[in-house]
Every structure is written in structure tokens, then in C-alpha cells.
Amino acid sequence: MDEAPGSERAAWARGLHARLLRDDPTATHELIAHYLDPLADWLERQYPRLGDPHLCTTAAEDALLALLRNLRSYEPARRSLWGYLRMSARGDLLNLLRAERRHGSRRAPLEAVELSPLAGNNEWARPYAPAQPTDDDTEEQSPAPVVTGMTPQEEQVLALMDAGERKTIAYALALGMAELPAAEQRRAVKRVKDRLQKRLMRGGGGR
Amino acid sequence: MSERLDHLARRVEDDRFFLASALADYARSERLDDVGLARFLGCAVGALTTLRLCRRPAGDAATFRAALAQIAAYGGVDRVALAAIVRRADALDGLRADTAATAHDGRGTLLAAREREGTESDEGRAAPGDEEGRRR
């Protein structure tokens, strides 16, 4: 799925995005057919210890649907379509994981329900009833973004990490550190990458 | 065809952005399963996922016709049948909108059909290309 600048794939992806912007009716299927499986597979490789691999499929679907609903959210000049979709899908997956954790923390154990042997469940062993609504309506709010407050440079670093970039100079250029000596570049780039990794881990994800 | 594509094609059946919504509405109104729907369109069942994930045609008459032709060619289906499907779905959407509008002021809507003298009833008249697709 490499869409390196200047490659045929990159040109195809740009053309596809332009067709979507022109409301080309078959471009939606082409987008989904081309990216859905690779996107879901990539998420499964990034997060191999998830309890439910269907979450990766759902997140990949969410990312593609979000793009189709707001085509101008993707700027071809900033990154490849593949890189954009991976970033978006990772965010959607982490939001799904957060929602799952919030839902799980409110589940009551079955032991909290007492089933009376007499007709009608009108006596409770404990005052808590699992079906009671809570006052906390955070589940109804929009999911929080995965990593908030990222600088544009950090976003570029994350995009490079998503794209599997290994060269330090690429990161150094994104961070405006290309003038530093090589050893300092490596240390500075590693600091930024480690910091981003920690923020992602706190959000529930990891590489 | 990828299972994931099939899953997403089903997921978007309530999303008016996708042709899936029109196909679902038509299938429900004609009580067709996927086999019946594919037969009506003159395609394999597997082609339905491709169609479902296309954008639902809309816009002025010329744009609508061009989109239908493009989708029909892309999916390898009968253009006239596809047009009938989308037009039926659009009509159903219109009825729902009308019902919702009148429901707000507490008045209901009664629909009545009456045979015209000397002609077939509307129910009995087949839509273009409809013969193959009827379950009966």
C-alpha cells in the first residue's frame, strides 16, 4: 500500500479523491474496496492483543465512512491517502476501546441480581440494580480525540511512524532539526517518538 | 468478495448516501431476498455488494441518468431495473417525509386506491423489467 510521493499509487489515490469530490458514484466503492481490508489488517497487526478483532474492522469502516462524509478533511498535500486513513482508523479504534472500557466499568456482576424463588422479582439483595441509568452521560458525548494537543510537527512525526519511515533524517526534517549533528538528531527524534508512544499508550493503543 | 465488504455493505443500508439504502427499500417493498434482487437486476448475488457501496444517484435528471448508467456499467446490471429500484426508493422516501410532516400536526394521512374503469389496477401493472423479479 506504499503511496510514496511521485508513485503511481499516489497518483491513483489523488485521482480517486478528486473523483470523490466530484460525486463520482462508483468512486465510493473503489475507495472502500481498495482500502478496507488492508486498513483492518494493518490495525490487527498494530494491536495484536485486542480481545475482539472485529473492533479493527469497525474502526476501519468508521475511518472510511468519516472520510466519505467529509472529503475535505483529507489534504493530499499533507500526506498520502493511505497514511491519512491509517491515522484516522487508529484514532477510531482507540475511541472504540475507550468506549468499551467505559461500558465495561458500568456493568454490574450477575451476583447483584437476586431472583426470588417466589413469583416476581420484587426483593433485591442489594440496592444496586444494573438497569438503573447513571448520571454520567459521557457515553452519549462525542468520543474524545485520541491524542489531543498535537503540534503540526508531532502530527507529521506520527504520520511518518504510521508510514513505517525508518530514516532519522525524515523525522529530523519534520521536526526542523535537520541542521543538528547526526547523533543529536537521533537523540531528539527518539525523545519525540517515545513521548508520542507514551501518549498513545495512555490513550489505549501501542505499536 | 471480502466478508468485510459484505459487512459494510449491510451496515450502510440505512445511510441514504449509499445505493444500499435504495436496494434495501426496494427489496423490502417487493419482499425480495438477495437472490430475487440479483435476478431482477440481471446480475450475480456477489455483485450486490459492489452496487450497495456505490453512491446513491441524485441531482438533476441528466446527472441522475448519467450516474445510473455509470453504476449499471460498473456493476454489470440492467440499467432500467436499477432505475426502477432507485425511483421506487425515492418515492418511498417522499411518502415517509409526507407522513412525518402530517404526523406533527396530529392529522393522519389516509391513502386510498381505486381502480379506473376499464383498466388494470396499479398493483397489477408491472414496472418496466419487473417480470423476472417478482417473487410470485
Side-chain angles (χ1 to χ4, degrees):
Chain A
M1 293 298 294
D2 178 35
E3 289 177 7
S7 68
E8 272 188 36
R9 273 193 196 274
W12 176 85
R14 274 199 309 277
L16 180 64
H17 184 248
R19 286 170 55 208
L20 288 164
L21 285 169
R22 290 197 301 270
D23 296 338
D24 184 319
T26 60
T28 52
H29 172 263
E30 285 185 58
L31 174 82
I32 293 166
H34 189 74
Y35 288 107
L36 179 58
D37 276 339
L39 203 49
D41 289 343
W42 177 79
L43 283 173
E44 286 181 13
R45 284 195 302 275
Q46 293 296 305
Y47 299 91
R49 287 186 288 277
L50 283 180
D52 181 4
H54 289 115
L55 286 174
C56 295
T57 298
T58 302
E61 290 175 355
D62 288 350
L64 288 163
L65 292 175
L67 172 64
L68 287 170
R69 289 187 179 113
N70 186 9
L71 287 165
R72 298 199 185 273
S73 64
Y74 166 59
E75 294 171 47
R78 284 192 73 180
R79 60 173 62 93
S80 70
L81 184 52
W82 175 232
Y84 173 84
L85 286 169
R86 283 194 299 185
M87 195 174 70
S88 178
R90 194 222 308 264
D92 286 324
L93 178 61
L94 295 179
N95 286 335
L96 284 170
L97 289 170
R98 280 211 193 98
E100 288 268 306
R101 275 203 300 276
R102 279 199 300 267
H103 180 70
S105 70
R106 294 202 182 98
R107 273 194 213 114
L110 286 175
E111 297 77 47
V113 178
E114 172 163 303
L115 299 178
S116 167
L118 304 172
N121 300 335
N122 50 14
E123 282 192 24
W124 298 98
R126 301 176 198 170
Y128 178 76
Q132 276 179 356
T134 68
D135 289 334
D136 184 355
D137 64 347
T138 53
E139 275 193 31
E140 304 304 319
Q141 295 169 2
S142 303
V146 174
V147 182
T148 57
M150 272 204 291
T151 66
Q153 289 159 332
E154 285 174 332
E155 278 188 27
Q156 282 189 53
V157 167
L158 195 56
L160 288 167
M161 288 162 71
D162 280 344
E165 179 59 64
R166 299 172 75 87
K167 295 197 180 76
T168 301
I169 186 62
Y171 292 93
L173 281 165
L175 292 166
M177 294 175 181
E179 304 302 317
L180 295 177
E184 273 192 60
Q185 271 183 25
R186 274 196 299 278
R187 278 194 293 273
V189 164
K190 185 175 183 317
R191 264 199 308 273
V192 173
K193 285 169 81 175
D194 287 349
R195 195 168 63 229
L196 279 175
Q197 290 274 27
K198 281 187 187 139
R199 284 166 76 179
L200 285 170
M201 294 281 282
R202 279 200 298 269
R207 301 194 81 80
Chain B
M1 185 65 65
S2 148
E3 274 185 28
R4 289 185 182 129
L5 284 179
D6 290 340
H7 180 268
L8 181 53
R10 292 294 187 185
R11 176 178 166 179
V12 298
E13 278 183 351
D14 288 332
D15 188 338
R16 217 184 169 284
F17 179 90
F18 290 94
L19 188 53
S21 60
L23 292 171
D25 266 351
Y26 184 85
R28 268 193 296 270
S29 71
E30 289 290 323
R31 294 200 180 96
L32 295 175
D33 59 10
D34 277 2
V35 171
L37 189 58
R39 195 178 301 131
F40 177 59
L41 285 161
C43 68
V45 170
L48 293 178
T49 290
T50 299
L51 291 179
R52 286 179 171 125
L53 294 174
C54 287
R55 186 163 177 167
R56 181 165 168 167
D60 60 45
T63 306
F64 183 86
R65 273 197 303 272
L68 274 179
Q70 184 179 340
I71 295 169
Y74 183 75
V77 303
D78 181 82
R79 185 178 53 83
V80 172
L82 186 62
I85 286 173
V86 178
R87 289 199 174 105
R88 170 82 63 86
D90 286 348
L92 289 169
D93 276 352
L95 279 173
R96 282 187 206 114
D98 286 347
T99 304
T102 54
H104 284 306
D105 60 14
R107 290 178 290 174
T109 302
L110 290 179
L111 297 175
R114 183 176 62 186
E115 275 190 32
R116 282 182 230 124
E117 283 186 26
T119 62
E120 286 179 317
S121 68
D122 282 343
E123 275 192 342
R125 187 177 307 133
D130 213 5
E131 296 297 324
E132 293 290 323
R134 292 223 174 252
R135 189 170 61 98
R136 312 185 254 296

